[in-house]
Amino acid sequence: MKTKIILVGGFLGAGKTTLLGEAARKLSQTGKQVGLITNDQASELVDTVFLEHIATTVSEVSGSCFCCNFSGFTDAIAYINEKKAMDVIIAEPVGSCTDLSATILQPLKHKFAEELCVAPLSVLVDPEQLSDILDGRMSGLHMSAVYILRKQLEEADLIVINKTDLLSPEVVAALKKRTAEEWPWAAVHAISAKNGDGLENWLNEVLQSSEAGTHLAEVDYDTYAEGEAVLGWLNTTVKLQSRLANWDKFTENLLNYLNRRFIEVNAAVGHVKLLIKTDNGFVIGNITGPKNFLNIRGSAGEGKEAQMTLNARSQMEPDALKAIVLEEISKASENHITTDFVALKCLKPGRPNPTYRYDHVEVQSL
Ligand SMILES: Nc1nc2c(ncn2[C@@H]2O[C@H](COP(=O)(O)OP(=O)(O)OP(=O)(O)O)[C@@H](O)[C@H]2O)c(=O)[nH]1
Ligand SMILES: [Mg+2]
């Protein structure tokens, strides 16, 4: 039996991890074995910690994106399948990656025809960012970052408009129509990864279809590299201790402080994610989108100890990003929470240098 491999791309904050979690939950309920793969330029991933609460089999490729570390990606697939033969593996590439059809889907079809059946490339998109793209606005992003977003949509087999729970049915219908007109070769789905609307239709299509990587986008790597480089990247894990702290309040304060600082310095936020875990549970918070939308879910309760993982992608130099994050963590700690930085990595992503870059579309053998 071949494992179905589903890639869910899309820009930072589009909702990929939320979709992976919900899809894994749904598929597990139907008796399918599901593995998940996360990806980032550095370790200490909120996405991995979050998904481990939902699915039992989660593997992480960190330190490089899938396209620049193709063997790391296929090793992760093999590692998951060794633990248990999987029906489905869903993988989330880095949100600022594009050219996945040429660098991941074609080599997978070509080199892993015996083991894997590749699903159509799904590209998830935030509706506000999609509207901005369609109207020629920049979503507050650097033009080279917008270039990445456009290329992601251009290479998709399936464009998946997410967060429809925030929109009226009329707006969803109009967005679907405009999207289909702009990228006529792609199928268009509209879903809410949050409440499950449209998920079944999307899952049916990716599970049944093998029309994967049906075309290639022309990608200018100079512009792509610039689009990656304008985003400062920070990942940290911190042990927090206090005589007694309300971790949910701490999360809310820290995210609000960070948000205020990013607005003050006029730095567009790609995505800020924060997860705090205690013996009582976990709280997760995100800042996303053109309007720095703040969203906090779950609860870590009150207590003496917690572990925080924070990932920030903001349009600024990494050192400036680090200074802001450290200052605001210190402020949110209010002199009664001590912080022990277990890991802290800050970087400007380098030029993408894919392991493979196919110049033609491979036929998938079934
Ligand atoms: N309202 C609404 N919010 C959503 C939906 N899907 C995701 N979100 C929220 O969008 C934010 C980003 O979601 P993620 O799933 O972390 O996005 P991502 O694409 O994995 O982001 P990166 O890993 O940074 O690329 C979170 O606050 C989610 O709760 C949705 O369908 N509706
Ligand atoms: Mg994610």
Side-chain angles (χ1 to χ4, degrees):
M1 183 204 74
K2 290 189 190 182
T3 301
K4 188 92 191 193
I5 174 103
I6 305 173
L7 256 91
V8 177
F11 204 66
L12 300 161
K16 300 178 293 296
T17 306
T18 310
L19 178 57
L20 258 66
E22 285 312 304
R25 227 195 288 263
K26 264 201 184 319
L27 289 168
S28 303
Q29 282 165 2
T30 64
K32 288 211 176 346
Q33 297 294 338
V34 188
L36 303 175
I37 306 179
T38 57
N39 184 210
D40 202 87
Q41 306 275 9
S43 61
E44 313 303 321
L45 302 191
V46 168
D47 288 357
T48 309
V49 180
F50 173 71
L51 289 172
E52 279 169 348
H53 285 276
I54 296 172
T56 45
T57 319
V58 182
S59 182
E60 173 180 298
V61 176
S62 55
S64 175
C65 50
F66 294 155
C67 17
C68 298
N69 182 8
F70 186 78
S71 62
F73 178 48
T74 52
D75 285 352
I77 296 173
Y79 168 78
I80 286 182
N81 262 339
E82 247 164 49
K83 280 185 158 181
K84 204 181 268 180
M86 291 293 160
D87 299 301
V88 182
I89 293 179
I90 317 179
E92 173 183 345
V94 173
S96 54
C97 272
T98 189
D99 210 19
L100 301 174
S101 177
T103 60
I104 306 284
L105 275 85
Q106 309 311 328
L108 279 182
K109 285 189 283 180
H110 180 212
K111 294 173 184 295
F112 290 84
E114 299 290 307
E115 302 99 304
L116 302 175
C117 176
V118 185
L121 172 61
S122 296
V123 172
L124 208 58
V125 62
D126 176 287
E128 209 166 323
Q129 251 158 1
L130 177 62
S131 296
D132 282 353
I133 290 274
L134 289 167
D135 292 341
R137 290 191 299 267
M138 305 289 279
S139 274
L141 294 166
H142 187 281
M143 59 189 286
S144 299
V146 174
Y147 176 83
I148 293 176
L149 224 162
R150 272 207 85 92
K151 287 293 158 185
Q152 290 177 337
L153 294 163
E154 196 181 315
E155 68 169 337
D157 296 307
L158 303 183
I159 295 176
V160 187
I161 304 168
N162 190 26
K163 310 189 187 180
T164 55
D165 54 287
L166 300 174
L167 310 171
S168 69
E170 294 75 28
V171 172
V172 174
L175 257 186
K176 277 184 82 174
K177 185 165 176 282
R178 289 186 73 192
T179 305
E181 282 163 6
E182 183 78 15
W183 297 283
W185 51 86
V188 183
H189 283 249
I191 67 161
S192 166
K194 185 179 168 185
N195 70 17
D197 281 354
L199 226 68
E200 206 142 306
N201 281 347
W202 170 73
L203 265 176
N204 283 341
E205 177 148 6
V206 285
L207 289 176
Q208 280 161 24
S209 172
S210 50
E211 294 289 305
T214 50
H215 53 272
L216 306 170
E218 261 180 45
V219 178
D220 176 313
Y221 269 62
D222 291 336
T223 313
Y224 179 13
E226 186 181 42
E228 289 254 45
V230 293
L231 289 164
W233 211 264
L234 180 143
N235 285 6
T236 186
T237 292
V238 191
K239 245 178 151 168
L240 304 169
Q241 279 182 311
S242 165
R243 280 172 61 194
L244 183 66
N246 179 327
W247 300 114
D248 301 343
K249 191 76 204 149
F250 174 84
T251 301
E252 192 185 327
N253 286 345
L254 179 52
L255 283 170
N256 276 316
Y257 297 161
L258 286 170
N259 209 4
R260 200 172 60 204
R261 287 294 295 279
F262 291 129
I263 291 167
E264 264 170 26
V265 300
N266 204 15
V269 171
H271 194 177
V272 175
K273 341 178 202 184
L274 193 165
L275 190 146
I276 290 190
K277 199 165 66 168
T278 63
D279 292 341
N280 301 323
F282 72 92
V283 56
I284 183 167
N286 309 63
I287 308 171
T288 51
K291 298 208 178 97
N292 286 29
F293 187 74
L294 187 63
N295 177 13
I296 299 173
R297 290 102 64 211
S299 173
E302 290 187 346
K304 293 182 176 174
E305 284 186 3
Q307 177 153 303
M308 168 170 79
T309 305
L310 189 150
N311 302 159
R313 317 275 175 261
S314 177
Q315 221 165 260
M316 63 201 308
E317 286 298 317
D319 283 348
L321 174 60
K322 182 174 165 185
I324 285 180
V325 169
L326 293 183
E327 280 166 30
E328 299 311 318
I329 289 177
S330 164
K331 189 171 158 206
S333 301
E334 290 177 335
N335 297 325
H336 71 95
I337 296 172
T338 59
T339 51
D340 174 12
F341 284 80
V342 181
L344 174 63
K345 181 121 187 168
C346 200
L347 59 97
K348 180 193 276 231
R351 185 184 176 84
N353 184 18
T355 315
Y356 301 106
R357 191 175 176 209
Y358 282 43
D359 61 3
H360 61 276
V361 169
E362 289 283 327
V363 176
Q364 176 149 234
S365 60
L366 297 174

